[in-house]
Short mmCIF file of all heavy atoms in Angstrom, two decimals:
data_model
loop_
_atom_site.label_atom_id
_atom_site.label_comp_id
_atom_site.label_asym_id
_atom_site.label_seq_id
_atom_site.Cartn_x
_atom_site.Cartn_y
_atom_site.Cartn_z
N ARG A 943 -3.92 -1.52 -2.24
CA ARG A 943 -3.69 -2.81 -1.56
C ARG A 943 -3.94 -2.75 -0.06
O ARG A 943 -4.02 -3.78 0.56
CB ARG A 943 -2.28 -3.40 -1.84
CG ARG A 943 -1.20 -2.68 -1.22
CD ARG A 943 0.23 -3.33 -1.45
NE ARG A 943 1.19 -2.51 -0.79
CZ ARG A 943 1.55 -2.69 0.49
NH1 ARG A 943 0.95 -3.59 1.24
NH2 ARG A 943 2.40 -1.90 1.06
N LYS A 944 -3.93 -1.59 0.57
CA LYS A 944 -4.12 -1.39 1.98
C LYS A 944 -5.51 -1.22 2.41
O LYS A 944 -6.30 -0.63 1.68
CB LYS A 944 -3.17 -0.21 2.46
CG LYS A 944 -1.72 -0.39 2.19
CD LYS A 944 -0.94 0.80 2.70
CE LYS A 944 0.54 0.61 2.55
NZ LYS A 944 1.34 1.77 2.90
N LYS A 945 -5.78 -1.65 3.63
CA LYS A 945 -7.17 -1.51 4.13
C LYS A 945 -7.41 -0.12 4.73
O LYS A 945 -8.49 0.43 4.71
CB LYS A 945 -7.40 -2.54 5.25
CG LYS A 945 -7.45 -3.97 4.77
CD LYS A 945 -7.67 -4.94 5.90
CE LYS A 945 -7.68 -6.35 5.38
NZ LYS A 945 -7.91 -7.32 6.40
N ALA A 946 -6.33 0.49 5.21
CA ALA A 946 -6.49 1.81 5.84
C ALA A 946 -5.26 2.67 5.30
O ALA A 946 -4.18 2.22 4.93
CB ALA A 946 -6.37 1.69 7.34
N PRO A 947 -5.37 4.02 5.44
CA PRO A 947 -4.32 4.89 5.00
C PRO A 947 -3.13 4.76 6.03
O PRO A 947 -3.32 4.21 7.12
CB PRO A 947 -4.94 6.37 5.05
CG PRO A 947 -6.26 6.17 5.67
CD PRO A 947 -6.62 4.69 5.77
N SER A 948 -2.02 5.27 5.65
CA SER A 948 -0.82 5.27 6.49
C SER A 948 -1.10 6.11 7.79
O SER A 948 -2.07 6.85 7.82
CB SER A 948 0.45 5.81 5.81
OG SER A 948 0.22 7.15 5.50
N LYS A 949 -0.15 6.07 8.75
CA LYS A 949 -0.35 6.81 9.97
C LYS A 949 -0.64 8.28 9.65
O LYS A 949 -1.36 9.00 10.26
CB LYS A 949 0.84 6.57 10.88
CG LYS A 949 0.73 7.18 12.24
CD LYS A 949 2.04 6.83 13.03
CE LYS A 949 1.97 7.44 14.38
NZ LYS A 949 3.17 7.08 15.21
N GLU A 950 0.16 8.87 8.68
CA GLU A 950 0.00 10.34 8.38
C GLU A 950 -0.98 10.47 7.27
O GLU A 950 -1.22 11.66 6.92
CB GLU A 950 1.46 10.82 7.93
CG GLU A 950 2.43 10.83 9.03
CD GLU A 950 3.75 11.38 8.67
OE1 GLU A 950 3.86 12.29 7.79
OE2 GLU A 950 4.77 10.89 9.25
N GLY A 951 -1.57 9.44 6.75
CA GLY A 951 -2.63 9.53 5.75
C GLY A 951 -2.15 9.99 4.34
O GLY A 951 -2.89 10.32 3.48
N LYS A 952 -0.81 9.84 4.03
CA LYS A 952 -0.21 10.25 2.82
C LYS A 952 0.03 9.06 1.91
O LYS A 952 0.39 7.93 2.44
CB LYS A 952 1.06 11.04 3.00
CG LYS A 952 0.97 12.25 3.81
CD LYS A 952 2.32 12.89 4.11
CE LYS A 952 2.28 14.03 5.01
NZ LYS A 952 3.63 14.56 5.23
N LEU A 953 -0.07 9.20 0.64
CA LEU A 953 0.26 8.14 -0.33
C LEU A 953 1.78 8.09 -0.39
O LEU A 953 2.51 9.12 -0.20
CB LEU A 953 -0.23 8.55 -1.75
CG LEU A 953 -1.71 8.45 -1.98
CD1 LEU A 953 -2.02 8.93 -3.38
CD2 LEU A 953 -2.27 7.04 -1.81
N GLY A 954 2.27 6.90 -0.49
CA GLY A 954 3.73 6.67 -0.72
C GLY A 954 4.07 6.53 -2.17
O GLY A 954 3.22 6.81 -2.97
N VAL A 955 5.30 6.17 -2.38
CA VAL A 955 5.77 6.01 -3.76
C VAL A 955 4.85 5.06 -4.48
O VAL A 955 4.46 5.29 -5.65
CB VAL A 955 7.28 5.53 -3.75
CG1 VAL A 955 7.72 5.12 -5.21
CG2 VAL A 955 8.14 6.58 -3.24
N GLU A 956 4.47 3.97 -3.96
CA GLU A 956 3.61 2.95 -4.58
C GLU A 956 2.26 3.48 -5.04
O GLU A 956 1.63 3.00 -5.95
CB GLU A 956 3.54 1.70 -3.78
CG GLU A 956 2.52 1.86 -2.60
CD GLU A 956 2.24 0.55 -1.90
OE1 GLU A 956 1.32 -0.19 -2.33
OE2 GLU A 956 2.88 0.34 -0.84
N GLY A 957 1.81 4.55 -4.33
CA GLY A 957 0.51 5.14 -4.63
C GLY A 957 0.48 6.24 -5.62
O GLY A 957 -0.60 6.74 -6.01
N MET A 958 1.66 6.72 -6.02
CA MET A 958 1.77 7.81 -6.98
C MET A 958 1.50 7.38 -8.38
O MET A 958 1.84 6.25 -8.80
CB MET A 958 3.24 8.42 -6.89
CG MET A 958 3.57 9.11 -5.60
SD MET A 958 2.68 10.59 -5.42
CE MET A 958 2.15 10.49 -3.70
N GLN A 959 1.02 8.31 -9.13
CA GLN A 959 0.86 8.03 -10.58
C GLN A 959 2.24 8.12 -11.24
O GLN A 959 3.15 8.87 -10.74
CB GLN A 959 -0.06 9.07 -11.24
CG GLN A 959 -1.45 8.95 -10.73
CD GLN A 959 -2.37 10.04 -11.40
OE1 GLN A 959 -1.92 10.90 -12.13
NE2 GLN A 959 -3.66 9.92 -11.07
N LEU A 960 2.43 7.40 -12.30
CA LEU A 960 3.78 7.40 -12.93
C LEU A 960 4.15 8.79 -13.41
O LEU A 960 5.36 9.09 -13.33
CB LEU A 960 3.73 6.39 -14.11
CG LEU A 960 3.63 4.97 -13.78
CD1 LEU A 960 3.59 4.07 -15.06
CD2 LEU A 960 4.71 4.48 -12.86
N ALA A 961 3.26 9.60 -13.81
CA ALA A 961 3.60 10.96 -14.25
C ALA A 961 4.15 11.76 -13.08
O ALA A 961 5.08 12.55 -13.33
CB ALA A 961 2.42 11.70 -14.88
N VAL A 962 3.59 11.54 -11.86
CA VAL A 962 4.07 12.25 -10.74
C VAL A 962 5.52 11.81 -10.39
O VAL A 962 6.39 12.62 -10.07
CB VAL A 962 3.14 12.04 -9.53
CG1 VAL A 962 3.73 12.65 -8.28
CG2 VAL A 962 1.73 12.64 -9.79
N LEU A 963 5.77 10.49 -10.46
CA LEU A 963 7.08 9.98 -10.21
C LEU A 963 8.07 10.50 -11.28
O LEU A 963 9.24 10.86 -10.86
CB LEU A 963 7.11 8.47 -10.20
CG LEU A 963 6.30 7.82 -9.06
CD1 LEU A 963 6.25 6.26 -9.20
CD2 LEU A 963 6.91 8.15 -7.71
N GLN A 964 7.69 10.55 -12.48
CA GLN A 964 8.61 11.05 -13.52
C GLN A 964 8.88 12.50 -13.24
O GLN A 964 10.09 12.98 -13.41
CB GLN A 964 7.95 10.94 -14.95
CG GLN A 964 8.89 11.36 -16.01
CD GLN A 964 8.36 11.02 -17.42
OE1 GLN A 964 7.42 10.30 -17.51
NE2 GLN A 964 9.03 11.59 -18.40
N LYS A 965 7.92 13.29 -12.88
CA LYS A 965 8.14 14.67 -12.54
C LYS A 965 9.10 14.90 -11.40
O LYS A 965 9.98 15.69 -11.39
CB LYS A 965 6.85 15.46 -12.32
CG LYS A 965 7.06 16.94 -12.04
CD LYS A 965 5.68 17.61 -11.77
CE LYS A 965 5.84 19.09 -11.56
NZ LYS A 965 4.58 19.71 -11.28
N ALA A 966 8.90 14.06 -10.39
CA ALA A 966 9.88 14.05 -9.21
C ALA A 966 11.30 13.79 -9.55
O ALA A 966 12.27 14.44 -9.10
CB ALA A 966 9.37 13.04 -8.16
N LEU A 967 11.47 12.79 -10.45
CA LEU A 967 12.84 12.50 -10.95
C LEU A 967 13.36 13.65 -11.75
O LEU A 967 14.60 14.00 -11.57
CB LEU A 967 12.85 11.20 -11.78
CG LEU A 967 12.51 9.95 -10.96
CD1 LEU A 967 12.32 8.74 -11.94
CD2 LEU A 967 13.64 9.60 -10.04
N GLU A 968 12.60 14.21 -12.60
CA GLU A 968 13.08 15.39 -13.45
C GLU A 968 13.47 16.57 -12.55
O GLU A 968 14.42 17.26 -12.85
CB GLU A 968 12.04 15.76 -14.46
CG GLU A 968 11.84 14.72 -15.56
CD GLU A 968 10.67 14.93 -16.40
OE1 GLU A 968 9.82 15.84 -16.15
OE2 GLU A 968 10.43 14.12 -17.42
N GLN A 969 12.61 16.81 -11.58
CA GLN A 969 12.94 17.90 -10.63
C GLN A 969 14.17 17.74 -9.83
O GLN A 969 14.86 18.66 -9.38
CB GLN A 969 11.73 18.22 -9.69
CG GLN A 969 10.56 18.77 -10.42
CD GLN A 969 9.30 18.93 -9.52
OE1 GLN A 969 9.12 18.21 -8.58
NE2 GLN A 969 8.54 19.95 -9.79
N ALA A 970 14.57 16.38 -9.66
CA ALA A 970 15.79 16.15 -8.91
C ALA A 970 16.99 16.29 -9.77
O ALA A 970 18.16 16.12 -9.38
CB ALA A 970 15.75 14.66 -8.43
N GLY A 971 16.77 16.61 -11.12
CA GLY A 971 17.97 16.84 -12.04
C GLY A 971 18.35 15.58 -12.72
O GLY A 971 19.39 15.47 -13.34
N VAL A 972 17.51 14.44 -12.62
CA VAL A 972 17.84 13.23 -13.29
C VAL A 972 17.28 13.23 -14.70
O VAL A 972 16.16 13.59 -14.92
CB VAL A 972 17.23 12.05 -12.48
CG1 VAL A 972 17.39 10.80 -13.19
CG2 VAL A 972 17.74 12.05 -11.08
N THR A 973 18.14 12.95 -15.61
CA THR A 973 17.64 12.89 -16.98
C THR A 973 17.93 11.52 -17.53
O THR A 973 18.86 10.83 -17.16
CB THR A 973 18.44 13.97 -17.86
OG1 THR A 973 19.79 13.72 -17.69
CG2 THR A 973 18.05 15.37 -17.44
N PRO A 974 17.14 11.16 -18.53
CA PRO A 974 17.32 9.83 -19.14
C PRO A 974 18.75 9.72 -19.73
O PRO A 974 19.25 10.62 -20.21
CB PRO A 974 16.21 9.68 -20.21
CG PRO A 974 15.20 10.72 -19.84
CD PRO A 974 15.97 11.74 -19.09
N GLN A 975 19.30 8.51 -19.62
CA GLN A 975 20.63 8.24 -20.17
C GLN A 975 20.53 8.26 -21.69
O GLN A 975 19.65 7.67 -22.27
CB GLN A 975 21.14 6.87 -19.65
CG GLN A 975 22.57 6.56 -20.04
CD GLN A 975 22.89 5.18 -19.51
OE1 GLN A 975 22.14 4.44 -19.01
NE2 GLN A 975 24.20 4.94 -19.49
#
């Protein structure tokens, strides 16, 4: 949705694939209820 990358050129949460977000949650020790 953005015309240019962020100041640091990194993707934010909105730019991540769902599998990457799921892995980040799992690595944080969060498990499904």
Side-chain angles (χ1 to χ4, degrees):
R943 70 175 180 87
K944 295 181 178 176
K945 292 181 182 178
S948 69
K949 186 176 180 180
E950 294 180 33
K952 299 175 185 177
L953 290 175
V955 170
E956 73 173 276
M958 292 289 135
Q959 294 179 356
L960 293 178
V962 172
L963 294 175
Q964 183 171 351
K965 183 177 179 184
L967 292 170
E968 290 169 356
Q969 288 175 332
V972 177
T973 54
Q975 185 177 14

